[in-house]
Coordinates of all heavy atoms in Angstrom, one line a residue:
M1 N 15.7 24.8 -16.1 CA 14.7 25.0 -15.1 C 15.3 25.9 -14.0 O 16.3 25.5 -13.4 CB 14.4 23.6 -14.5 CG 13.4 23.6 -13.5 SD 12.8 22.1 -12.7 CE 12.9 20.8 -13.9
G2 N 14.6 26.9 -13.7 CA 15.2 27.8 -12.7 C 14.6 27.5 -11.3 O 13.8 26.6 -11.1
Y3 N 15.0 28.3 -10.3 CA 14.7 28.1 -9.0 C 13.2 28.2 -8.7 O 12.6 27.4 -8.1 CB 15.5 29.0 -8.0 CG 15.0 28.9 -6.6 CD1 15.4 27.8 -5.8 CD2 14.1 29.8 -6.0 CE1 15.0 27.7 -4.5 CE2 13.8 29.7 -4.7 CZ 14.1 28.6 -4.0 OH 13.8 28.5 -2.7
G4 N 12.6 29.3 -9.3 CA 11.2 29.5 -9.1 C 10.3 28.4 -9.7 O 9.3 28.0 -9.1
E5 N 10.8 27.8 -10.8 CA 10.0 26.8 -11.5 C 10.0 25.5 -10.6 O 9.0 24.8 -10.4 CB 10.6 26.5 -12.9 CG 9.7 25.7 -13.7 CD 10.2 25.5 -15.1 OE1 11.3 25.0 -15.2 OE2 9.5 26.1 -16.0
S6 N 11.1 25.2 -10.0 CA 11.3 24.1 -9.1 C 10.4 24.2 -7.9 O 9.8 23.2 -7.5 CB 12.8 23.9 -8.8 OG 12.9 22.8 -7.8
Q7 N 10.4 25.4 -7.3 CA 9.6 25.7 -6.1 C 8.2 25.5 -6.5 O 7.4 25.0 -5.7 CB 10.0 27.1 -5.7 CG 9.2 27.5 -4.3 CD 9.7 28.8 -3.8 OE1 10.2 29.6 -4.6 NE2 9.3 29.2 -2.6
Y8 N 7.7 25.9 -7.7 CA 6.4 25.8 -8.0 C 5.9 24.4 -8.1 O 4.8 24.0 -7.7 CB 6.2 26.5 -9.4 CG 4.8 26.4 -9.9 CD1 3.7 27.1 -9.4 CD2 4.5 25.4 -11.0 CE1 2.5 27.0 -10.0 CE2 3.2 25.4 -11.5 CZ 2.2 26.1 -10.9 OH 0.9 26.0 -11.5
N9 N 6.8 23.5 -8.7 CA 6.5 22.1 -8.8 C 6.4 21.5 -7.4 O 5.5 20.6 -7.2 CB 7.5 21.4 -9.6 CG 7.4 21.7 -11.0 OD1 6.4 22.2 -11.5 ND2 8.5 21.6 -11.8
T10 N 7.2 21.9 -6.5 CA 7.2 21.4 -5.0 C 5.9 21.8 -4.4 O 5.3 21.0 -3.7 CB 8.4 21.9 -4.3 OG1 9.6 21.4 -5.0 CG2 8.4 21.4 -2.9
A11 N 5.4 23.0 -4.6 CA 4.3 23.5 -4.0 C 3.1 22.7 -4.6 O 2.1 22.3 -3.8 CB 4.1 25.0 -4.3
N12 N 3.0 22.5 -5.8 CA 1.9 21.6 -6.4 C 1.9 20.2 -5.9 O 0.9 19.7 -5.5 CB 2.0 21.5 -8.0 CG 1.6 22.8 -8.6 OD1 0.8 23.6 -8.0 ND2 2.0 23.0 -9.9
Y13 N 3.1 19.6 -5.7 CA 3.2 18.3 -5.2 C 2.7 18.3 -3.7 O 1.9 17.4 -3.3 CB 4.7 17.8 -5.2 CG 4.9 16.5 -4.5 CD1 4.5 15.3 -5.1 CD2 5.4 16.4 -3.3 CE1 4.7 14.0 -4.6 CE2 5.6 15.1 -2.6 CZ 5.2 14.0 -3.3 OH 5.4 12.8 -2.7
R14 N 3.1 19.2 -2.9 CA 2.6 19.3 -1.5 C 1.1 19.5 -1.4 O 0.5 18.9 -0.7 CB 3.3 20.4 -0.7 CG 4.7 20.2 -0.4 CD 5.3 21.2 0.4 NE 6.8 21.1 0.6 CZ 7.6 21.9 0.7 NH1 7.3 23.2 0.7 NH2 8.9 21.6 0.8
A15 N 0.6 20.3 -2.3 CA -0.9 20.5 -2.3 C -1.7 19.3 -2.7 O -2.7 18.9 -2.1 CB -1.2 21.7 -3.3
A16 N -1.1 18.6 -3.7 CA -1.8 17.3 -4.2 C -1.7 16.3 -3.0 O -2.6 15.5 -2.8 CB -1.1 16.8 -5.4
S17 N -0.5 16.2 -2.4 CA -0.4 15.3 -1.3 C -1.3 15.5 -0.1 O -1.9 14.5 0.4 CB 1.1 15.3 -0.8 OG 1.3 14.5 0.3
I18 N -1.5 16.7 0.2 CA -2.4 17.1 1.3 C -3.8 16.8 0.9 O -4.6 16.3 1.7 CB -2.2 18.6 1.7 CG1 -0.9 18.8 2.4 CG2 -3.4 19.1 2.6 CD1 -0.5 20.3 2.6
A19 N -4.2 17.1 -0.3 CA -5.5 16.8 -0.8 C -5.8 15.3 -0.8 O -6.9 14.9 -0.4 CB -5.8 17.4 -2.2
A20 N -4.8 14.5 -1.2 CA -5.0 13.0 -1.2 C -5.2 12.6 0.2 O -6.0 11.6 0.4 CB -3.8 12.4 -1.9
K21 N -4.4 13.0 1.1 CA -4.6 12.6 2.5 C -6.0 12.9 3.1 O -6.5 12.3 3.9 CB -3.5 13.2 3.4 CG -2.1 12.5 3.1 CD -1.1 13.1 4.0 CE 0.3 12.6 3.6 NZ 1.4 13.2 4.4
E22 N -6.5 14.1 2.7 CA -7.7 14.6 3.2 C -8.8 13.6 2.6 O -9.9 13.5 3.3 CB -8.0 16.0 2.9 CG -7.1 17.0 3.6 CD -7.3 18.4 3.2 OE1 -8.0 18.7 2.2 OE2 -6.7 19.3 3.8
E23 N -8.7 13.2 1.4 CA -9.8 12.3 0.8 C -9.8 10.9 1.4 O -10.7 10.2 1.3 CB -9.5 12.3 -0.7 CG -9.8 13.6 -1.3 CD -9.5 13.5 -2.8 OE1 -9.4 12.4 -3.4 OE2 -9.5 14.5 -3.5
H24 N -8.6 10.5 1.9 CA -8.5 9.1 2.4 C -9.2 8.9 3.7 O -9.1 9.6 4.7 CB -7.0 8.7 2.6 CG -6.7 7.3 3.2 ND1 -6.9 6.2 2.4 CD2 -6.4 7.0 4.5 CE1 -6.7 5.2 3.2 NE2 -6.4 5.6 4.5
Q25 N -10.1 7.9 3.7 CA -10.8 7.6 4.9 C -10.3 6.3 5.5 O -10.2 5.3 4.8 CB -12.3 7.4 4.6 CG -13.0 8.7 4.1 CD -13.2 9.6 5.4 OE1 -13.5 9.2 6.4 NE2 -13.0 10.9 5.2
R26 N -10.0 6.2 6.7 CA -9.6 5.0 7.4 C -10.8 4.0 7.5 O -11.9 4.4 7.9 CB -9.0 5.3 8.8 CG -8.4 4.1 9.5 CD -7.7 4.5 10.8 NE -7.2 3.4 11.4 CZ -7.8 2.7 12.4 NH1 -9.0 3.1 12.8 NH2 -7.2 1.7 13.0
K27 N -10.5 2.7 7.2 CA -11.6 1.8 7.3 C -11.7 1.2 8.7 O -10.8 0.8 9.3 CB -11.2 0.6 6.3 CG -12.1 -0.6 6.4 CD -13.6 -0.3 6.0 CE -14.4 -1.5 6.0 NZ -15.8 -1.2 5.8
N28 N -13.0 1.4 9.2 CA -13.3 0.7 10.5 C -14.0 -0.6 10.2 O -15.1 -0.5 9.6 CB -14.2 1.7 11.4 CG -13.4 2.9 11.8 OD1 -12.3 2.8 12.2 ND2 -14.1 4.0 11.7
F29 N -13.4 -1.7 10.7 CA -14.1 -3.0 10.4 C -15.2 -3.1 11.3 O -15.2 -2.7 12.6 CB -13.1 -4.1 10.6 CG -11.9 -4.0 9.6 CD1 -10.7 -3.5 10.0 CD2 -12.1 -4.6 8.4 CE1 -9.7 -3.5 9.1 CE2 -11.0 -4.6 7.4 CZ -9.8 -4.0 7.8
T30 N -16.3 -3.8 10.9 CA -17.5 -4.1 11.7 C -17.0 -5.3 12.7 O -16.0 -6.0 12.4 CB -18.7 -4.5 11.0 OG1 -18.4 -5.8 10.3 CG2 -19.0 -3.4 9.9
Q31 N -17.9 -5.4 13.7 CA -17.5 -6.5 14.7 C -17.6 -7.9 14.0 O -16.8 -8.7 14.2 CB -18.5 -6.4 15.9 CG -18.2 -7.4 17.0 CD -16.8 -7.1 17.6 OE1 -16.4 -6.0 17.7 NE2 -16.2 -8.1 18.0
E32 N -18.6 -8.0 13.0 CA -18.8 -9.3 12.3 C -17.5 -9.5 11.5 O -17.0 -10.7 11.4 CB -20.0 -9.2 11.4 CG -21.3 -9.2 12.2 CD -21.7 -7.8 12.8 OE1 -21.0 -6.8 12.3 OE2 -22.5 -7.8 13.6
Q33 N -17.0 -8.5 10.8 CA -15.8 -8.7 10.0 C -14.6 -9.1 10.9 O -13.8 -10.0 10.5 CB -15.5 -7.4 9.3 CG -16.5 -7.0 8.2 CD -16.2 -5.7 7.5 OE1 -15.8 -4.8 8.2 NE2 -16.7 -5.6 6.3
V34 N -14.4 -8.4 12.0 CA -13.3 -8.7 12.9 C -13.4 -10.2 13.4 O -12.4 -10.9 13.4 CB -13.2 -7.8 14.0 CG1 -12.2 -8.1 15.1 CG2 -12.9 -6.4 13.6
V35 N -14.6 -10.6 13.7 CA -14.7 -12.0 14.3 C -14.4 -13.0 13.2 O -13.7 -13.9 13.4 CB -16.2 -12.2 14.8 CG1 -16.5 -13.7 15.0 CG2 -16.5 -11.4 16.0
A36 N -14.8 -12.7 11.9 CA -14.5 -13.6 10.9 C -13.0 -13.7 10.6 O -12.5 -14.8 10.4 CB -15.3 -13.2 9.6
L37 N -12.4 -12.5 10.5 CA -11.0 -12.5 10.3 C -10.2 -13.1 11.4 O -9.2 -13.9 11.2 CB -10.5 -11.0 10.2 CG -11.0 -10.3 8.9 CD1 -10.9 -8.8 9.0 CD2 -10.3 -10.8 7.6
E38 N -10.6 -13.0 12.7 CA -9.9 -13.6 13.8 C -10.0 -15.2 13.8 O -9.1 -15.9 14.1 CB -10.5 -13.1 15.1 CG -10.1 -11.7 15.5 CD -8.6 -11.6 16.0 OE1 -8.0 -12.6 16.1 OE2 -8.2 -10.4 16.0
I39 N -11.2 -15.7 13.3 CA -11.3 -17.1 13.2 C -10.4 -17.7 12.2 O -9.7 -18.7 12.4 CB -12.9 -17.4 12.8 CG1 -13.8 -17.2 14.0 CG2 -13.0 -18.9 12.3 CD1 -15.3 -17.2 13.7
V40 N -10.3 -17.0 11.1 CA -9.4 -17.4 10.0 C -7.9 -17.3 10.6 O -7.1 -18.3 10.3 CB -9.5 -16.7 8.7 CG1 -8.4 -17.1 7.7 CG2 -10.9 -17.0 8.1
Y41 N -7.6 -16.3 11.3 CA -6.3 -16.0 11.8 C -5.9 -17.1 12.8 O -4.7 -17.5 12.9 CB -6.2 -14.7 12.5 CG -4.8 -14.3 13.1 CD1 -3.9 -13.9 12.2 CD2 -4.5 -14.5 14.4 CE1 -2.6 -13.6 12.8 CE2 -3.3 -14.2 14.9 CZ -2.3 -13.7 14.1 OH -1.0 -13.5 14.6
E42 N -6.8 -17.6 13.6 CA -6.6 -18.7 14.5 C -6.1 -20.0 13.8 O -5.3 -20.7 14.3 CB -7.8 -19.0 15.4 CG -8.1 -17.9 16.4 CD -9.4 -18.3 17.2 OE1 -9.9 -19.4 17.1 OE2 -9.8 -17.3 17.9
N43 N -6.8 -20.2 12.7 CA -6.4 -21.4 11.8 C -5.0 -21.2 11.1 O -4.3 -22.2 10.9 CB -7.5 -21.8 10.9 CG -8.8 -22.1 11.6 OD1 -8.7 -22.7 12.7 ND2 -9.9 -21.8 11.0
S44 N -4.8 -20.0 10.6 CA -3.6 -19.8 9.8 C -3.2 -18.3 9.9 O -4.1 -17.4 9.5 CB -3.8 -20.2 8.4 OG -2.7 -19.8 7.6
R45 N -2.0 -18.1 10.3 CA -1.6 -16.7 10.4 C -1.2 -16.2 9.0 O -1.2 -14.9 8.8 CB -0.3 -16.6 11.3 CG -0.6 -16.9 12.7 CD 0.6 -16.8 13.6 NE 1.2 -15.5 13.5 CZ 2.4 -15.1 14.1 NH1 3.1 -16.0 14.7 NH2 2.8 -13.9 14.0
Y46 N -1.0 -17.1 8.0 CA -0.7 -16.7 6.7 C -1.7 -17.5 5.7 O -1.2 -18.4 5.1 CB 0.8 -17.1 6.3 CG 1.8 -16.3 7.1 CD1 2.2 -16.7 8.4 CD2 2.3 -15.1 6.6 CE1 3.2 -16.0 9.1 CE2 3.2 -14.4 7.3 CZ 3.6 -14.8 8.6 OH 4.6 -14.1 9.2
P47 N -2.9 -17.0 5.7 CA -3.8 -17.7 4.7 C -3.4 -17.5 3.3 O -2.7 -16.5 2.9 CB -5.2 -16.9 5.0 CG -4.8 -15.6 5.5 CD -3.5 -15.8 6.3
D48 N -3.7 -18.5 2.4 CA -3.3 -18.4 1.1 C -4.2 -17.5 0.3 O -5.2 -16.9 0.8 CB -3.2 -19.8 0.4 CG -4.7 -20.5 0.5 OD1 -5.7 -19.9 0.6 OD2 -4.6 -21.8 0.3
R49 N -3.8 -17.2 -0.9 CA -4.5 -16.3 -1.7 C -6.1 -16.5 -1.9 O -6.8 -15.7 -1.7 CB -3.9 -16.2 -3.1 CG -4.7 -15.3 -4.1 CD -4.0 -15.2 -5.4 NE -3.0 -14.1 -5.3 CZ -2.1 -13.8 -6.2 NH1 -2.0 -14.5 -7.3 NH2 -1.3 -12.9 -6.0
S50 N -6.4 -17.8 -2.1 CA -7.8 -18.2 -2.3 C -8.6 -17.9 -1.0 O -9.7 -17.4 -1.1 CB -7.9 -19.7 -2.7 OG -7.4 -20.5 -1.7
D51 N -8.0 -18.1 0.2 CA -8.7 -17.9 1.4 C -8.9 -16.4 1.6 O -10.0 -15.9 2.0 CB -7.9 -18.4 2.6 CG -7.9 -20.0 2.7 OD1 -8.8 -20.5 2.1 OD2 -7.1 -20.5 3.4
K52 N -7.9 -15.6 1.2 CA -8.0 -14.2 1.3 C -9.0 -13.5 0.4 O -9.8 -12.7 0.7 CB -6.7 -13.5 1.2 CG -5.8 -13.6 2.4 CD -4.5 -12.8 2.3 CE -3.5 -13.4 1.4 NZ -2.2 -12.8 1.5
E53 N -9.1 -14.1 -0.8 CA -10.1 -13.7 -1.8 C -11.5 -14.0 -1.3 O -12.3 -13.3 -1.5 CB -9.8 -14.3 -3.2 CG -8.5 -13.8 -3.9 CD -8.2 -14.5 -5.2 OE1 -8.9 -15.5 -5.5 OE2 -7.3 -14.0 -5.9
K54 N -11.7 -15.2 -0.8 CA -13.0 -15.6 -0.2 C -13.4 -14.7 0.8 O -14.5 -14.3 0.9 CB -13.0 -17.1 0.1 CG -14.3 -17.6 0.6 CD -14.3 -19.1 0.9 CE -15.5 -19.7 1.3 NZ -16.6 -18.8 1.7
L55 N -12.5 -14.4 1.8 CA -12.8 -13.6 2.9 C -13.2 -12.2 2.4 O -14.2 -11.6 2.8 CB -11.6 -13.3 3.7 CG -11.4 -14.3 4.9 CD1 -10.1 -14.1 5.7 CD2 -12.6 -14.1 5.9
S56 N -12.5 -11.7 1.4 CA -12.8 -10.3 0.9 C -14.1 -10.3 0.3 O -14.9 -9.3 0.4 CB -11.7 -9.8 0.0 OG -11.7 -10.6 -1.2
M57 N -14.5 -11.3 -0.4 CA -15.8 -11.4 -1.1 C -16.9 -11.5 0.0 O -17.9 -10.8 -0.1 CB -15.9 -12.4 -2.1 CG -15.1 -12.2 -3.3 SD -15.0 -13.5 -4.5 CE -16.8 -13.7 -4.9
D58 N -16.7 -12.4 0.9 CA -17.7 -12.7 1.9 C -17.9 -11.5 2.9 O -19.1 -11.3 3.3 CB -17.3 -13.9 2.8 CG -17.4 -15.2 2.1 OD1 -17.9 -15.3 0.9 OD2 -16.8 -16.2 2.5
L59 N -16.9 -10.8 3.2 CA -16.9 -9.6 4.1 C -17.1 -8.3 3.5 O -17.1 -7.2 4.1 CB -15.6 -9.7 5.0 CG -15.4 -10.9 5.8 CD1 -14.1 -10.8 6.6 CD2 -16.7 -11.2 6.7
N60 N -17.2 -8.3 2.1 CA -17.3 -7.0 1.3 C -16.1 -6.1 1.6 O -16.3 -4.9 1.9 CB -18.7 -6.3 1.7 CG -19.0 -5.3 0.6 OD1 -18.6 -5.4 -0.5 ND2 -19.8 -4.3 1.0
L61 N -15.0 -6.6 1.5 CA -13.7 -5.9 1.8 C -12.9 -6.1 0.5 O -13.0 -7.0 -0.2 CB -12.9 -6.4 2.9 CG -13.6 -6.2 4.3 CD1 -12.8 -7.0 5.4 CD2 -13.7 -4.8 4.7
S62 N -11.9 -5.2 0.3 CA -11.0 -5.4 -0.9 C -9.9 -6.4 -0.4 O -9.7 -6.5 0.8 CB -10.3 -4.0 -1.3 OG -9.4 -3.6 -0.2
D63 N -9.2 -6.9 -1.5 CA -8.1 -7.8 -1.1 C -7.0 -7.2 -0.3 O -6.4 -7.8 0.6 CB -7.5 -8.4 -2.4 CG -8.5 -9.3 -3.2 OD1 -9.4 -9.8 -2.5 OD2 -8.3 -9.6 -4.3
S64 N -6.8 -5.9 -0.6 CA -5.7 -5.2 0.1 C -6.1 -4.9 1.5 O -5.2 -5.0 2.5 CB -5.3 -4.0 -0.6 OG -6.4 -3.0 -0.7
Q65 N -7.4 -4.7 1.8 CA -7.8 -4.4 3.2 C -7.6 -5.8 4.0 O -7.1 -5.7 5.1 CB -9.3 -4.1 3.3 CG -9.5 -2.6 2.8 CD -10.9 -2.4 2.7 OE1 -11.8 -3.1 2.2 NE2 -11.4 -1.1 3.2
V66 N -7.9 -7.0 3.4 CA -7.7 -8.2 4.1 C -6.2 -8.5 4.3 O -5.8 -8.8 5.4 CB -8.4 -9.4 3.3 CG1 -8.0 -10.7 3.9 CG2 -9.9 -9.1 3.2
Q67 N -5.4 -8.2 3.3 CA -4.0 -8.4 3.4 C -3.4 -7.5 4.5 O -2.6 -8.0 5.3 CB -3.3 -8.2 2.0 CG -1.8 -8.4 2.1 CD -1.2 -8.2 0.7 OE1 -1.9 -8.2 -0.3 NE2 0.1 -8.2 0.7
T68 N -3.8 -6.3 4.6 CA -3.4 -5.3 5.5 C -3.8 -5.8 6.9 O -3.0 -5.7 7.9 CB -3.8 -3.9 5.2 OG1 -3.3 -3.6 3.9 CG2 -3.3 -2.9 6.2
W69 N -5.0 -6.2 7.1 CA -5.5 -6.7 8.4 C -4.7 -7.8 8.9 O -4.2 -7.8 10.1 CB -6.9 -7.1 8.3 CG -7.5 -7.4 9.6 CD1 -8.2 -6.5 10.4 CD2 -7.4 -8.6 10.3 NE1 -8.5 -7.2 11.6 CE2 -8.0 -8.4 11.6 CE3 -6.9 -9.9 10.1 CZ2 -8.2 -9.5 12.5 CZ3 -7.0 -10.9 11.0 CH2 -7.6 -10.7 12.2
F70 N -4.3 -8.7 8.1 CA -3.5 -9.9 8.5 C -2.1 -9.4 8.9 O -1.5 -9.9 9.9 CB -3.5 -11.0 7.5 CG -4.6 -11.9 7.6 CD1 -5.8 -11.8 6.8 CD2 -4.6 -13.0 8.5 CE1 -6.9 -12.6 7.1 CE2 -5.7 -13.9 8.6 CZ -6.8 -13.6 7.9
S71 N -1.6 -8.5 8.1 CA -0.1 -7.9 8.4 C -0.1 -7.3 9.7 O 0.7 -7.5 10.6 CB 0.2 -7.0 7.2 OG 1.5 -6.5 7.5
N72 N -1.2 -6.5 10.0 CA -1.4 -5.7 11.2 C -1.6 -6.7 12.4 O -1.0 -6.4 13.5 CB -2.4 -4.6 11.1 CG -2.0 -3.5 10.2 OD1 -0.8 -3.3 9.9 ND2 -3.0 -2.8 9.8
R73 N -2.3 -7.7 12.2 CA -2.7 -8.6 13.2 C -1.3 -9.4 13.6 O -1.2 -9.7 14.8 CB -3.8 -9.6 12.8 CG -4.2 -10.6 13.9 CD -4.8 -9.9 15.0 NE -5.2 -10.8 16.0 CZ -4.4 -11.4 17.0 NH1 -3.2 -11.1 16.9 NH2 -4.9 -12.2 17.8
R74 N -0.5 -9.8 12.7 CA 0.7 -10.5 12.9 C 1.6 -9.5 13.8 O 2.3 -10.0 14.7 CB 1.3 -11.0 11.7 CG 0.7 -12.2 11.1 CD 1.4 -12.8 10.0 NE 1.7 -11.9 8.8 CZ 0.8 -11.8 7.7 NH1 -0.2 -12.5 7.7 NH2 1.2 -10.9 6.8
A75 N 1.6 -8.3 13.4 CA 2.5 -7.3 14.1 C 2.0 -7.2 15.6 O 2.8 -7.1 16.5 CB 2.5 -6.0 13.4
K76 N 0.7 -7.1 15.7 CA 0.1 -7.0 17.0 C 0.5 -8.2 17.9 O 0.7 -8.0 19.1 CB -1.4 -6.9 16.9 CG -2.1 -6.8 18.3 CD -3.7 -6.7 18.0 CE -4.4 -6.7 19.3 NZ -5.9 -6.6 19.1
S77 N 0.5 -9.5 17.3 CA 0.7 -10.7 18.1 C 2.2 -10.7 18.5 O 2.6 -11.3 19.5 CB 0.3 -11.8 17.3 OG 1.3 -12.1 16.3
R78 N 3.1 -9.9 17.8 CA 4.6 -10.0 18.2 C 4.9 -9.1 19.3 O 5.9 -9.2 19.9 CB 5.4 -9.6 17.0 CG 5.5 -10.6 15.9 CD 6.6 -10.3 14.9 NE 6.3 -9.0 14.1 CZ 5.6 -9.0 13.0 NH1 5.2 -10.1 12.4 NH2 5.4 -7.8 12.3
R79 N 4.0 -8.1 19.5 CA 4.2 -7.1 20.7 C 4.0 -7.8 22.0 O 3.5 -8.7 22.3 CB 3.2 -5.9 20.5 CG 3.6 -5.0 19.4 CD 2.8 -3.8 19.4 NE 2.2 -3.7 18.0 CZ 0.9 -3.2 17.8 NH1 0.1 -2.8 18.7 NH2 0.5 -3.2 16.5

């Protein structure tokens, strides 16, 4: 593998990375979703899997969005 070939692969990687970032949309939670998440957070800073699954279904969010929200909320409370 020569220098030019390596540089070509790096250029493709950068282009793909930029394209992926442009496609990613940040999720803005609705007020109703935030209120529901905050209520659960008041009861437990670390809800179990079943609670998070129920929340995600009730609020029409993915499991990872709920998990990330709780992680970010705990970080916010430490500040």
